[in-house]
């Protein structure tokens, strides 16, 4: 097994996750099998109880693991399925060591950070690296490890020590350290400054780790004299200094690595040069270029609770991007804070109220993602009502499905006090209830989590056709509340269709309005399995409906992945009609800015 460690210095938020994912992709394109591990030095056992404002979205794996959003990047870039153990946290390691101490495994010993914690970290890495994640038998060739945080953080010290020991134990030809650092440009001087990276590398070396490759984040490509200076003071060969400058979309990052021969440097350090080929990234390149060339917009109103931080809905954004590129549309997200739509806000803050409704009414489609708590719920219900009454394409995910049912019960069935017991425990018409198997005393890891099977109730529904007329699908879940099975018949009699159910037939998974252009709600999270070139079926349906392409999509078969070639007529046409920005680059995909999105 070969190991590539990615660390970060100077500041957080440099894009280590995207860099690690891109390294994995380029090694996979060279013909190697790749797996990934993310180390998070916080004391939480997992990300499940963290606020999205604190840590971004919680990404859910097939096995029910609630993990860091970077594992979502790994899965999307590498098209693999990771496990909960691929996310190592301080909490998990400490808990494992304490459990062993309580069992008596260390009987007679004083349990310490060194060697017990550091040994546990190394054993965890070796064990998880051997788990196949690509559907094939046997371990991968290379394991890419990302160490979260910044070099010098006190909480990451046990991991730094463990990785220093690990690099010595596995040997120089089996371990490659890539350090991601910042080379800022001071606007006053206009010069690329190397001192922050020099200090970061010095700190890394003082802790027992020496970088083989420097990946330098900067707004522009590094000048030759800057690379020479970094090489001299950081003791890294000049050909091993890579520039990760700002790009129009993150799909270009692996291409930056390829163009600067980063794969050759990594393979040389790992003694793999003779066992690989040149990276095959033709389709990836075409998709990255196509993404830049799209200029006909599709506007999606994202009505949510955590709209102040885009990373709170990262997988949803990526799934929308995958779908919009497949439909040859430029994705524009209109962020609509759900609470701004509520009637109470019209008096308290009329400007935000008018702005929110203007965005909602100007959108081609409306998406209400998952969430917890009652803040903004009435605004989400109003958004679902607007979509239903005005025949605007709508996709509700998890809570987004539940509020659509509440709205239907109130507006169509006349049950004006219909609600979820999450928001009103004493409601007379509980459309959504707490699941019987859930825990009301413990929060972490107690939801209905991971991959669960959904059976379609016939093949005529839009959702069934979008999934290719399969009898069942497996999608990932994360919820505590479900549709009240005692109200299903009443809702169905009113015209709401439950087109997907679990294996018992009592747990509702998919709803649709049959006479609506596209009104779909799902209890699961389809965004977690969307991939570049293989967009989620329901996101593809939403974007296609917003663009007027849904009928053609259903005729062709929605689940076929989008294939592209460098010489396609579509690409040439898009290039001719693409909008040029003042700096000469092509217009990006997001309406809220370009750059290396992390």
């Amino acid at each position: 097994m070969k190991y590539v460690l990615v660390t970060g210095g100077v500041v957080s938020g440099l894009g280590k996750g995207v860099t690690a994912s891109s390294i994995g992709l380029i090694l996979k394109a060279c013909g190697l099998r790749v797996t990934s591990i993310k180390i998070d030095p916080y004391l939480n056992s997992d990300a499940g109880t963290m606020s999205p404002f604190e840590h971004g979205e919680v990404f859910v794996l097939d096995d029910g693991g609630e993990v860091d959003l970077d594992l979502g990047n790994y899965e999307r870039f590498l098209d693999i399925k990771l496990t909960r153990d691929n996310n190592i946290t301080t909490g998990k390691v400490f808990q494992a060591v304490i459990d062993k101490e309580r069992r008596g495994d260390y009987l007679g010993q004083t349990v310490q950070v060194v060697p017990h914690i550091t040994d546990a970290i190394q054993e965890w890495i070796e064990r998880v690296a051997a788990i196949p994640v690509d559907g094939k038998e046997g371990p991968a060739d290379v394991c890419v490890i990302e160490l979260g945080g910044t070099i010098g953080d006190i909480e990451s010290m046990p991991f730094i020590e463990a990785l220093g020991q690990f690099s010595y134990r596995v040997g120089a030809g089996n371990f490659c350290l890539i350090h991601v650092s910042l080379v800022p440009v001071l606007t006053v001087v206009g010069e690329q400054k190397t001192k922050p990276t020099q200090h970061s590398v010095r700190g890394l070396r003082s802790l027992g780790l020496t970088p083989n490759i420097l990946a330098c984040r900067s707004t522009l490509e590094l000048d030759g004299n800057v690379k020479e200076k970094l090489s001299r003071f950081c003791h890294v060969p000049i050909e091993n200094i890579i520039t990760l400058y700002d790009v129009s979309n993150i799909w270009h990052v692996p291409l930056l690595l390829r163009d600067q021969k980063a794969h050759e440097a990594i393979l040389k350090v790992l003694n793999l040069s003779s066992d690989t080929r040149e990276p095959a990234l033709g389709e990836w390149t075409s998709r990255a270029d196509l993404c830049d060339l799209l200029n006909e917009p599709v506007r999606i109103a994202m009505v949510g609770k955590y709209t102040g931080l885009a990373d709170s809905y990262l997988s949803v954004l990526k799934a929308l991007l995958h779908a919009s590129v497949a439909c040859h549309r430029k994705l524009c997200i209109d962020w609509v804070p759900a609470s701004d739509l509520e009637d109470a806000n019209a008096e308290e803050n009329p400007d935000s109220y008018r702005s929110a409704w203007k965005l909602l009414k100007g959108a081609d489609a409306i998406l209400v993602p998952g969430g917890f708590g009652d803040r903004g719920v009435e605004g989400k219900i109003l958004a679902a009502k607007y979509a239903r009454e005005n025949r605007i394409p709508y996709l509700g995910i998890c809570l987004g499905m539940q509020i659509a049912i509440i709205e239907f019960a109130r507006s169509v069935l006349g049950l004006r006090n219909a609600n979820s017991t999450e928001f009103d425990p004493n409601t007379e018409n509980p459309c959504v209830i707490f699941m019987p198997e859930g825990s009301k005393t413990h929060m972490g890891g107690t939801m209905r989590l991971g991959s669960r099977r959904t059976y379609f109730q016939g093949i005529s529904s839009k959702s069934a056709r979008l999934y290719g007329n399969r009898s069942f699908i497996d999608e990932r879940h994360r919820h505590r509340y479900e549709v009240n099975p005692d109200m299903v018949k009443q809702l169905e009699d009113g015209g709401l269709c439950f087109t997907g159910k679990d294996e018992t037939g009592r747990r509702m998974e998919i709803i649709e309005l049959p006479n609506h252009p596209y009104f779909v709600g799902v209890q699961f999270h389809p965004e977690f399995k969307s991939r570049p070139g293989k967009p989620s079926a329901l996101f593809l349906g939403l974007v296609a409906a917003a663009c007027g392409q849904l009928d053609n999509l259903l005729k062709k078969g929605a689940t076929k992945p989008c294939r592209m070639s460098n010489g396609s007529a579509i690409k040439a046409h898009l290039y001719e009609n693409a909008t040029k920005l003042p700096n000469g680059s092509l217009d990006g995909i997001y309406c809220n800015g370009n750059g290396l999105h992390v």
Side-chain angles (χ1 to χ4, degrees), residues 53-229:
F53 284 127
E54 178 80 17
H55 200 63
E57 78 169 2
V58 176
F59 191 81
V60 179
L61 302 171
D62 270 1
D63 66 358
E66 297 173 285
V67 296
D68 184 82
L69 58 81
D70 280 322
L71 275 79
N73 279 324
Y74 305 158
E75 286 205 344
R76 284 187 288 269
F77 271 60
L78 299 175
D79 196 14
I80 55 179
K81 292 182 180 180
L82 299 172
T83 71
R84 67 177 74 228
D85 286 346
N86 288 83
N87 192 191
I88 306 175
T89 69
T90 301
K92 285 181 180 179
V93 174
F94 277 37
Q95 187 66 59
V97 171
I98 292 297
D99 288 346
K100 291 178 73 173
E101 187 274 333
R102 292 289 85 188
R103 288 197 305 267
D105 294 3
Y106 304 123
L107 204 57
Q109 300 180 41
T110 301
V111 180
Q112 298 174 295
V113 173
V114 181
H116 301 98
I117 295 294
T118 53
D119 284 354
I121 293 168
Q122 295 176 67
E123 291 165 5
W124 195 305
I125 290 172
E126 283 191 306
R127 173 176 60 83
V128 174
I131 299 173
V133 295
D134 56 2
K136 301 176 183 178
E137 294 184 359
D141 302 309
V142 180
C143 178
V144 179
I145 307 166
E146 178 193 350
L147 176 61
T150 305
I151 293 301
D153 293 345
I154 190 168
E155 60 263 29
S156 63
M157 289 303 176
F159 292 101
I160 294 287
E161 175 61 29
L163 290 164
Q165 295 178 18
F166 188 70
S167 66
Y168 175 75
R169 186 156 61 82
V170 300
N174 296 313
F175 190 88
C176 176
L177 198 164
I178 300 174
H179 187 58
V180 182
S181 188
L182 178 67
V183 179
V185 178
L186 300 183
T187 54
V188 177
V189 184
E191 178 186 2
Q192 294 173 329
K193 309 301 289 186
T194 65
K195 196 64 70 178
T197 296
Q198 291 181 45
H199 284 297
S200 181
V201 171
R202 185 177 297 120
L204 186 63
R205 294 175 67 191
S206 71
L207 295 170
L209 289 168
T210 300
N212 303 104
I213 297 170
L214 286 181
C216 299
R217 282 285 289 114
S218 187
T219 53
L220 301 171
E221 190 171 0
L222 292 187
D223 297 332
N225 63 321
V226 173
K227 283 190 175 184
E228 290 177 5
K229 192 174 182 180

Side-chain angles (χ1 to χ4, degrees), residues 8 32 68 76 247 268 287 314 320 445 447 476 522 528 539 548 557 563 565 585 596:
L32 297 170
D68 184 82
R76 284 187 288 269
V247 290
K268 183 178 179 181
R287 189 176 300 111
L314 185 61
L320 285 170
M447 288 187 275
R476 299 176 183 179
V522 291
F528 291 141
F539 280 87
R563 298 293 178 186
S565 61
S585 64
L596 183 63

Side-chain angles (χ1 to χ4, degrees), residues 343-530:
D343 294 338
N345 194 52
E347 296 182 6
E348 296 173 5
N349 195 337
D351 290 340
S352 66
Y353 177 80
R354 285 192 296 267
S355 176
W357 275 103
K358 183 179 179 181
L359 288 173
L360 190 75
K361 292 179 179 181
D364 300 311
I366 296 171
L367 192 152
V368 178
F372 299 92
D374 59 0
R375 182 170 63 86
V377 164
E378 293 301 323
K380 294 176 183 179
I381 290 173
L382 289 169
K385 181 177 183 178
Y386 178 81
R388 181 182 60 80
E389 292 182 342
N390 293 276
R391 300 177 63 78
I392 305 298
Y394 175 90
L395 177 61
I397 298 171
C398 197
L399 178 61
M401 179 186 95
Q402 295 172 5
I403 63 98
I405 291 172
I406 294 170
E407 189 280 321
F408 187 87
R410 290 179 182 179
S411 302
V412 179
L413 302 185
L415 306 176
R416 299 200 176 277
N417 61 352
N419 214 328
S420 166
T421 57
E422 180 180 5
F423 316 127
D424 181 4
N426 301 315
T427 177
E428 294 177 6
N429 294 289
C431 299
V432 180
I433 60 172
F434 192 83
M435 291 188 297
E437 67 268 35
S439 171
K440 294 188 177 182
T441 58
H442 289 71
M443 301 294 286
T446 59
M447 288 187 275
R448 184 171 180 247
L449 294 164
S451 182
R452 308 291 178 122
R453 185 154 290 182
T454 295
Y455 291 87
F456 288 109
Q457 310 300 299
I459 60 172
S460 61
S461 65
K462 290 185 179 71
S463 56
R465 294 167 68 191
L466 285 167
Y467 277 103
N469 293 324
R470 285 183 274 173
S471 59
F472 63 84
I473 53 171
D474 295 308
E475 293 282 8
R476 299 176 183 179
H477 293 68
R478 184 175 185 250
H479 64 111
R480 280 193 177 87
Y481 291 81
E482 64 175 340
V483 179
N484 185 351
D486 294 335
M487 289 194 68
V488 167
K489 188 177 187 309
Q490 189 177 0
L491 291 163
E492 287 180 328
D493 290 343
L496 189 66
C497 291
F498 292 94
T499 58
K501 301 179 181 180
D502 77 341
E503 66 279 1
T504 68
R506 285 183 56 81
R507 185 158 280 159
M508 303 301 112
E509 294 282 1
I510 307 175
I511 65 164
E512 292 186 40
L513 286 176
N515 297 320
H516 192 284
Y518 191 85
F519 194 98
V520 177
V522 291
Q523 188 61 74
F524 48 81
H525 289 264
E527 68 270 23
F528 291 141
K529 294 178 74 171
S530 185

